[in-house]
Amino acid sequence: MNTTNPSRRDFVRALGAAAIAAPFVGIAGAQEPGKKLGVALVGLGSLSTKQIAPALAKSSKLCKLVAIVTGTPAKADKWMADYGLPKTHVYNYETFDQLATNPDVDIIYVVLPNSMHAEYTIRAAKAGKHVLCEKPMATSAADCQRMIDACKAADRLLAIGYRCQFEPHHRECRRLASEKVFGAVKYVEAGFGFKIGDPAQWRLRKGLAGGGALMDVGIYALQAARFLVGEEPIAISALETKTDPVKFAEVDETIVWTMRFPGGVVAKCSTSYNFNGENRFRAYAEKGWFELDPAYSYAGNSGRRSDKLEIKFDAPDQFATELDDFAQRILEKKPSSVSGEEGLRDLRVIEAIYQSIATGATVKLG
Ligand code: NAD
């Protein structure tokens, strides 16, 4: 793994620490014992409504929802009532920058369509707030770099919403791989897709989504493969197919790609917006294999090993864990465990996948 990544030991330690709600020295001086960090949610769509806000209300030990940013006044009324937010803590996209003067807000969580991540992350950093940005980090590697630079310039932490990195089944598989429990991993298969509905949604518009299934859910398979192998890919070969060229006129429908790693390991990955059921990875090692299926769900992930043992844990809420880890990192002034550099690495691979599709050639990286 790239040396700018936190070591696995650091990662596990961070998770352990995040589980303890403790008093801290805070980001702007002394933090009151037990006081939670305030989160402003930007974009009140499906993920914010169904996952993040409930996680903040019910499960997070270190964060709480204190502000919202929405362009829809009717949503603002409902959220104020549901979460007890004062009118002073409701912003829209024009008043967003005024978050700078709200001392209750420590973290801005960007949950907007992909192509808006860069602008709002940069504005959030300029407002002096730490930023948690949903995946994919941005729609280009160049934008990822601008986001990293803006957060560095503002001396604010940046984290990407890679919830699976906090998921116990994923962590166990990473342990099986890094500790070579079945010997060295030789080959990885990973795939994630779903049948997308409404043809009018932003996920099918290139200008807002940046790409199709790959940007949205293929990125989970990409992350799983990179972390199971423990190296960065050096050669990418990809092909795309469209069975519905009308619905998928602007973005990719189904992509299959391979990644070759420096040590010779190969990963074969796939993603689609046009069929259900693929939500898995399997790592083949010298003396056996291990897999998760389902692998990337919000809950209910489970796995198996070639020695017939099950991989099954009680899993805490992934969004609460992710938020609490970020808060812990902020409070302890430590680097983010899911850094902007990590998001940038994925965007570089995604760009290489699209380049390989466009040229029909294998693309070299690194
Ligand atoms: P959504 O369509 O349900 O919500 C998007 C929100 O953005 C809406 O509230 C919408 O009003 C707002 N918005 C502002 N400007 C907009 C514009 N110009 N066009 C369209 N919408 C606009 O989407 P979502 O499923 O909540 O996804 C939001 C982000 O979260 C995406 O980047 C997605 O990749 C990510 N996501 C991550 C996970 C995860 O498990 N980590 C899961 C789902 C989505």
Side-chain angles (χ1 to χ4, degrees):
M1 200 91 270
N2 188 304
T3 50
T4 56
N5 249 356
S7 69
R8 187 180 175 280
R9 202 168 350 115
D10 285 346
F11 175 71
V12 173
R13 197 186 307 126
L15 289 168
I20 307 160
F24 307 104
V25 174
I27 44 180
Q31 181 86 15
E32 268 174 50
K35 185 171 181 278
K36 293 180 172 185
L37 296 194
V39 175
L41 264 184
V42 190
L44 308 181
S46 170
L47 186 67
S48 289
T49 307
K50 295 184 195 152
Q51 305 297 332
I52 301 170
L56 280 164
K58 288 186 219 139
S59 313
S60 174
K61 295 184 174 73
L62 300 178
C63 299
K64 64 174 179 182
L65 181 67
V66 294
I68 49 174
V69 180
T70 176
T72 315
K75 273 191 203 170
D77 291 341
K78 177 158 172 40
W79 279 66
M80 280 193 290
D82 287 354
Y83 293 102
L85 301 172
K87 228 184 175 106
T88 49
H89 288 45
V90 177
Y91 300 81
N92 59 39
Y93 298 103
E94 286 71 48
T95 60
F96 178 91
D97 305 296
Q98 293 170 18
L99 279 161
T101 57
N102 188 332
D104 294 337
V105 176
D106 303 294
I107 296 168
I108 295 182
Y109 193 164
V110 179
V111 200
L112 290 165
N114 307 340
S115 70
M116 301 172 76
H117 292 181
E119 177 188 343
Y120 283 90
T121 294
I122 292 166
R123 283 169 70 177
K126 284 186 176 156
K129 307 299 180 182
H130 300 284
V131 193
L132 180 48
C133 175
E134 259 312 325
K135 47 55 61 181
M137 179 174 174
T139 53
S140 71
D143 274 354
C144 293
Q145 192 59 58
R146 292 197 305 121
M147 295 157 78
I148 291 168
D149 293 345
C151 291
K152 265 194 193 131
D155 196 22
R156 299 292 83 181
L157 270 200
L158 171 60
I160 310 305
Y162 287 135
R163 59 182 168 78
C164 289
Q165 293 201 25
F166 303 95
E167 208 276 341
H169 301 84
H170 280 251
R171 288 169 54 197
E172 172 62 2
C173 289
R174 287 168 68 168
R175 184 190 72 79
L176 295 174
S178 66
E179 293 180 6
K180 298 187 173 48
V181 173
F182 291 93
V185 169
K186 297 291 179 187
Y187 173 61
V188 174
E189 272 183 2
F192 192 23
F194 69 101
K195 192 166 176 63
I196 200 161
D198 180 10
Q201 63 186 288
W202 67 261
R203 281 183 163 80
L204 298 173
R205 303 279 81 84
K206 188 166 170 44
L208 283 165
L214 176 62
M215 283 270 180
D216 192 15
V217 285
I219 194 169
Y220 288 91
L222 166 55
Q223 278 255 310
R226 284 181 50 238
F227 281 102
L228 290 168
V229 178
E231 294 176 352
E232 296 304 321
I234 52 168
I236 310 285
S237 187
L239 67 83
E240 184 201 352
T241 182
K242 283 190 208 291
T243 61
D244 187 342
V246 175
K247 186 166 187 178
F248 302 103
E250 293 185 29
V251 300
D252 43 281
E253 175 191 319
T254 300
I255 292 179
V256 178
W257 76 96
T258 56
M259 301 191 281
R260 186 155 50 81
F261 293 84
V265 180
V266 171
K268 185 180 80 185
C269 302
S270 49
T271 187
S272 181
Y273 262 166
N274 215 8
F275 60 85
N276 286 323
E278 193 178 35
N279 177 349
R280 70 190 180 94
F281 65 71
R282 183 184 272 204
Y284 294 88
E286 289 164 310
K287 294 179 286 181
W289 53 263
F290 49 95
E291 68 175 9
L292 295 186
D293 186 350
Y296 316 105
S297 301
Y298 296 140
N301 295 321
S302 67
R304 290 142 291 280
R305 312 170 14 154
S306 53
D307 58 7
K308 307 252 187 290
L309 288 182
E310 216 190 340
I311 303 171
K312 192 71 200 154
F313 300 96
D314 287 337
D317 183 284
Q318 292 173 39
F319 292 93
T321 315
E322 164 193 286
L323 278 152
D324 285 352
D325 176 73
F326 191 43
Q328 189 76 22
R329 294 265 155 173
I330 291 166
L331 293 165
E332 292 182 349
K333 298 188 193 305
K334 287 192 174 153
S336 164
S337 6
V338 277
S339 64
E341 285 78 5
E342 182 56 32
L344 170 60
R345 278 180 213 116
D346 281 344
L347 256 296
R348 284 201 182 117
V349 177
I350 287 173
E351 287 184 343
I353 292 170
Y354 285 130
Q355 195 187 334
S356 176
I357 291 166
T359 59
T362 296
V363 175
K364 300 248 160 64
L365 277 173

